[in-house]
């Protein structure tokens, strides 16, 4: 994966398509600019009150203010909602000062461990943790707290005025991408990423206003709900709006357009997002659009970082994006960006962008070459000779197909061939069976178009029915539980019908230890009348 651009199949064809990443600078409107300056001043003021302190409460306050700053450039809706919730929690704290102050001083030990390294936290953990942080304050007295609440009242008013001033400029840029790339192209799909659920909610509403239904994924959804939304995106709608929860284990290679509505401050997240569409199985070139406010302090940093990566990509190839998380290992980009916001400059970050990043990449590439399991040149002819033997040994589609037919009969389901497409089948399973194995979403209940060969599945946009597919796994589990003697269904090259039994014969010594073992196979042939003979 770290060198996607160099990977080819045995015929020399590249396995991964080209990826084009475009960073689009968006100018803040006057109302947005006023809000940004005011909120940033608020963040810097209260951040300074805990700067340099190492107690847990101070760390929570610093993290809460960092999250607020990140939401500021995500969307106006996210900014206003964050300010509103923070104001409400601080008002509750003021009403019950003594008791609530003790509660707000620290989160649980498990929370502390969960955010020790935010790059390792799941999207669900991170989203939940943000909500619990919103009430953390640096105020030491009721008077200071009242002062902060008054500041928040002014900021909420500014955010509301900015929303009323008209469609925010970043949203206008997103709409331009939609109109150019999606509006009259029903075959295209668009994946939009944001860090925050509030922004996801606002974008979902906007897409509906623009005439596009969309599926959504966020950290509050369990795996089954995410799979349902993934299928809906693939089969029914053109747009998916997601938080970074969609960057965890979701495969969307049927989509090639992606917009980062806000860029994550964690480079690992950026790598994970791109990997949802730029992956094995993608048949078309991918286009990624990053929306950035270059007028903002964090926007300047992120724009410089993306420009640097793009220049390096032109010289070194797409692998720059695939390894950016590894190249920046040990660098807390979040801390460096926050430092640039607080001081409006950061020499350490400038050095990283200008010099250190390229040195790190070169060192990483050298390390990969030195520790490679295979040399740069391998014996391709030998691999190609082995390929034929590999094809004979692997589980072939016909084995899976024969098992599916027999297993469907056992559970009362149906497997019918699609007359319009050769090699494509319609699989329907009883509701009771689906309920038993917790596969009750609408897609499974309606039945699936499946194919047992990968190539056919890709050509006709059917589901590839192979080991790992939830319905096949459920059928296998059912057969193992309900018919214990049946362990495999094999196709005999001489077209014999019957059962193959395996026995272990063992000779033991006086101590009960095995001194000799043999595996014995017995084939029971089925006669036309159904009688078994050895």
């Amino acid at each position: 994966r770290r060198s996607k651009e160099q990977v080819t199949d045995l015929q020399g064809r590249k396995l991964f398509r080209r990826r084009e990443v475009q960073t689009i600078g968006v100018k803040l409107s006057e109302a947005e600019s006023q809000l940004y300056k005011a909120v940033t001043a608020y963040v810097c003021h209260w951040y300074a009150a805990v700067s340099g302190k190492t107690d847990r409460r101070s760390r929570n306050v610093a993290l809460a203010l960092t999250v607020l700053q990140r939401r500021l450039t995500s969307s106006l809706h996210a900014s206003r909602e964050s300010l509103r919730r923070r104001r409400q929690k601080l008002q509750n704290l003021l009403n019950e000062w003594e008791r609530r102050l003790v509660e707000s001083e620290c989160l649980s030990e498990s929370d502390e461990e969960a955010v020790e390294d935010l790059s390792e936290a799941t999207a669900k953990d991170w989203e939940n943790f943000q909500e619990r942080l919103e009430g953390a304050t640096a105020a030491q007295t009721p008077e200071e707290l009242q002062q902060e609440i008054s500041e928040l009242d002014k900021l909420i008013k500014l955010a509301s005025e900015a929303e009323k001033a008209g469609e925010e400029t970043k949203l206008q840029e997103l709409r331009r991408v939609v109109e150019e790339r999606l509006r009259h192209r029903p075959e295209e799909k668009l994946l939009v990423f944001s860090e925050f659920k509030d922004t996801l909610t606002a974008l979902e509403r906007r897409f509906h206003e623009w005439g596009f239904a969309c599926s959504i994924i966020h950290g509050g959804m369990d795996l089954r709900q995410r799979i349902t939304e993934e299928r809906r995106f693939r089969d029914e709608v053109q747009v998916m709006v997601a938080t970074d929860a969609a960057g965890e284990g979701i495969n969307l290679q049927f989509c090639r357009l992606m917009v980062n509505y806000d860029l994550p401050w964690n480079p690992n997240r950026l790598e994970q997002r791109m990997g949802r569409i730029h992956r094995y199985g993608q048949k078309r070139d991918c286009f990624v659009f990053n929306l950035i406010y270059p007028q903002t302090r964090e926007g300047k940093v992120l724009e410089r970082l993306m420009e640097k990566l793009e220049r390096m990509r032109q010289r070194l190839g797409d692998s720059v994006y695939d390894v950016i998380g590894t190249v920046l290992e040990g660098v807390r980009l979040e801390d460096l960006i926050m430092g640039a916001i607080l001081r409006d400059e950061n020499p350490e970050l400038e050095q990283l962008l200008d010099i250190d990043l390229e040195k790190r990449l070169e060192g990483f590439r050298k390390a990969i070459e030195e520790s490679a399991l295979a040399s740069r040149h391998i014996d391709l002819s030998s691999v190609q000779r082995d390929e034929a033997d590999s094809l004979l040994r692997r589980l072939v589609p016909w084995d899976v197909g024969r098992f599916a037919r027999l297993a469907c009969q056992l559970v009362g389901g149906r497997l019918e061939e699609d007359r319009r497409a050769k090699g494509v089948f319609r699989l329907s399973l009883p509701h009771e069976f689906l309920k038993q194995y917790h596969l009750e979403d609408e897609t499974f209940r309606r039945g699936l178009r499946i194919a047992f060969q990968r190539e056919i599945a890709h050509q006709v946009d059917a589901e590839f029915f192979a080991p790992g597919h939830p319905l096949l796994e459920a059928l296998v589990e059912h057969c193992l539980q309900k018919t214990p003697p049946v362990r495999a269904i094999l196709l005999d090259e001489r077209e014999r019908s019957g059962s193959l039994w395996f026995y272990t014969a063992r000779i033991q010594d006086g101590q009960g230890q095995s001194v000799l073992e043999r595996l014995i196979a017995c084939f029971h042939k089925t006669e036309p009348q159904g009688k078994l003979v050895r």
Side-chain angles (χ1 to χ4, degrees):
R1 185 181 63 83
R2 290 171 174 169
S3 301
K4 287 181 179 179
E5 60 181 352
Q6 286 89 16
V7 180
T8 66
D9 61 17
L10 293 176
Q11 286 71 46
R13 297 171 298 199
K14 289 188 176 182
L15 291 183
F16 296 92
R17 299 304 299 259
R18 183 174 62 89
R19 167 178 44 186
E20 182 177 318
V21 181
Q22 180 181 353
T23 299
I24 302 174
V26 182
K27 186 177 181 181
L28 290 168
S29 67
E30 183 60 33
E32 290 170 338
S33 181
Q34 289 181 9
L35 176 64
Y36 175 81
K37 291 175 182 178
V39 174
T40 300
Y42 164 83
V43 168
C44 291
H45 170 74
W46 289 102
Y47 199 101
V50 296
S51 181
K53 297 181 180 180
T54 58
D55 62 283
R56 186 178 298 172
R57 182 186 173 204
S58 296
R59 293 199 302 270
N60 290 340
V61 171
L63 190 53
L65 293 170
T66 300
V67 171
L68 179 60
Q69 185 71 31
R70 292 166 75 158
R71 286 173 172 263
L72 177 59
T73 52
S74 178
S75 68
L76 291 175
H77 179 73
S79 300
R80 179 175 56 79
E81 285 298 294
S82 298
L83 292 166
R84 181 189 61 78
R85 287 194 297 265
R86 182 172 178 80
R87 196 256 181 226
Q88 183 61 51
K89 290 182 179 181
L90 294 189
Q91 183 63 56
N92 293 340
L93 174 59
L94 182 62
N95 295 340
E96 303 179 65
W97 173 255
E98 294 297 337
R99 180 174 65 84
R100 295 294 298 274
L101 182 63
V102 174
E103 292 179 1
S104 69
E105 282 185 353
C106 62
L107 299 171
S108 68
E109 287 288 346
S110 59
D111 288 331
E112 184 74 10
E113 293 174 2
V115 296
E116 186 66 29
D117 184 357
L118 294 179
S119 64
E120 299 299 325
T122 65
K124 180 178 180 180
D125 290 340
W126 175 223
E127 289 175 25
N128 291 338
F129 188 69
Q130 289 177 59
E131 295 178 6
R132 297 198 296 275
L133 275 175
E134 286 176 327
T137 176
Q140 298 293 324
T141 65
E143 290 74 23
E144 286 185 355
L145 187 57
Q146 183 60 65
Q147 176 192 342
E148 185 173 2
I149 292 174
S150 298
E151 289 182 54
L152 287 170
D153 285 333
K154 296 176 183 178
L155 296 177
I156 292 170
K157 182 179 179 181
L158 276 177
S160 298
E161 291 174 353
E163 285 187 289
K164 293 176 183 177
E167 192 172 73
E168 55 193 294
T169 51
K170 192 160 64 167
L171 198 60
Q172 294 172 14
E173 194 61 42
L174 174 64
R175 188 168 188 177
R176 184 187 66 79
V177 173
V178 168
E179 295 297 329
E180 291 181 1
R181 300 274 182 167
L182 209 65
R183 175 67 69 182
H184 302 294
R185 301 178 180 179
E187 77 283 359
E188 293 285 10
K189 294 182 182 292
L190 173 66
L191 173 62
V192 182
F193 268 111
S194 171
E195 280 200 278
F196 307 107
K197 188 177 175 181
D198 287 329
T199 298
L200 179 150
T201 301
L203 290 177
E204 182 186 17
R205 184 175 66 248
R206 287 294 187 175
F207 273 110
H208 280 291
E209 292 174 1
W210 298 341
F212 291 92
C214 58
S215 59
I216 61 172
I217 289 181
H218 56 75
M221 304 167 70
D222 60 31
L223 181 59
R224 196 166 303 282
Q225 290 173 312
R226 297 183 199 186
I227 292 175
T228 299
E229 289 298 299
E230 176 191 349
R231 293 181 186 280
R232 184 165 173 256
F233 181 36
R234 185 191 63 198
D235 299 332
E236 301 175 19
V237 302
Q238 280 187 273
V239 179
M240 171 180 279
V241 184
T243 66
D244 285 304
E248 299 167 349
I250 301 294
N251 301 327
L252 305 173
Q253 58 265 49
F254 52 84
C255 169
R256 67 165 181 162
L257 303 177
M258 191 178 92
V259 170
N260 285 310
Y261 196 73
D262 43 55
L263 274 177
W265 290 10
N266 184 332
N268 288 323
R269 298 291 189 197
L270 179 61
E271 180 184 348
Q272 290 169 0
R273 289 180 181 185
M274 292 184 181
R276 296 312 94 205
I277 65 172
H278 189 247
R279 60 190 301 109
Y280 179 72
Q282 175 61 261
K283 301 298 183 183
R284 300 176 295 169
D285 293 343
C286 297
F287 297 88
V288 179
F289 304 93
N290 301 319
L291 302 185
I292 290 179
Y293 288 122
Q295 293 169 262
T296 65
R297 299 178 186 181
E298 56 268 51
K300 292 176 183 176
V301 174
L302 292 170
E303 186 181 46
R304 285 283 313 281
L305 177 61
M306 298 309 298
E307 287 175 353
K308 183 73 173 178
L309 289 175
E310 178 57 23
R311 288 197 298 270
M312 295 172 68
R313 185 200 67 81
Q314 294 172 2
R315 186 166 59 84
L316 301 173
D318 266 359
S319 57
V320 168
Y321 292 115
D322 296 319
V323 303
I324 182 60
T326 306
V327 170
L328 289 177
E329 188 174 3
V331 176
R332 292 192 62 84
L333 192 59
E334 300 99 322
D335 294 343
L336 294 177
I337 293 176
M338 198 62 196
I341 291 170
L342 296 172
R343 298 188 295 274
D344 203 11
E345 61 180 4
N346 194 327
E348 185 180 354
L349 185 58
E350 290 297 311
Q351 180 183 10
L352 172 69
L353 294 178
D354 287 338
I355 303 172
D356 197 40
L357 184 60
E358 189 152 349
K359 286 184 178 180
R360 283 171 172 264
L361 182 62
E362 290 294 347
F364 177 78
R365 289 168 63 90
K366 183 178 180 181
I368 288 295
E369 291 177 2
E370 291 176 350
S371 60
L373 295 179
S375 61
R376 181 176 297 276
H377 302 287
I378 62 174
D379 185 357
L380 183 59
S381 61
S382 174
V383 175
Q384 290 172 331
R385 285 196 303 271
D386 291 341
E387 182 188 22
D389 184 56
S390 174
L391 290 172
L392 291 175
R393 293 176 182 272
R394 73 181 180 181
L395 184 65
V396 295
W398 316 120
D399 295 333
V400 178
R402 191 179 186 206
F403 169 79
R405 290 185 182 90
L406 294 174
C408 279
Q409 294 176 14
L410 288 175
V411 302
R414 291 183 300 172
L415 184 66
E416 301 173 342
E417 188 164 6
D418 190 333
R419 296 180 181 179
R420 298 170 297 177
K422 186 177 180 180
V424 179
F425 300 83
R426 186 77 181 179
L427 172 65
S428 302
L429 295 172
H431 177 70
E432 295 77 14
F433 175 84
L434 296 174
K435 184 177 180 180
Q436 178 183 353
Y437 292 96
H438 309 290
L439 300 169
E440 299 176 89
D441 65 64
E442 185 63 27
T443 305
F444 291 149
R445 289 201 298 268
R446 290 200 308 262
L448 296 179
R449 289 180 77 235
I450 65 171
F452 301 113
Q453 293 178 278
R454 186 189 302 273
E455 295 78 9
I456 293 177
H458 284 171
Q459 289 172 5
V460 300
D461 196 25
E463 300 232 4
F464 179 39
F465 204 70
H469 192 287
L471 289 187
L472 178 57
E473 296 299 319
L475 290 171
V476 170
E477 183 178 345
H478 181 84
C479 288
L480 292 177
Q481 291 177 349
K482 302 299 182 182
T483 56
V486 179
R487 288 294 181 263
I489 296 177
L490 307 174
L491 185 64
D492 182 57
E493 59 185 7
R494 288 189 280 172
E495 299 184 353
R496 293 174 297 177
S497 180
S499 301
L500 188 62
W501 296 77
F502 293 92
Y503 298 92
T504 300
R506 179 183 300 113
I507 298 177
Q508 296 179 337
D509 61 16
Q511 302 298 321
Q513 300 296 317
S514 176
V515 295
L516 181 65
E517 289 186 356
R518 289 286 185 270
L519 185 65
I520 301 172
C522 294
F523 179 69
H524 291 255
K525 183 178 180 182
T526 304
E527 291 293 300
Q529 293 79 17
K531 181 181 178 182
L532 286 174
V533 296
R534 181 172 298 180

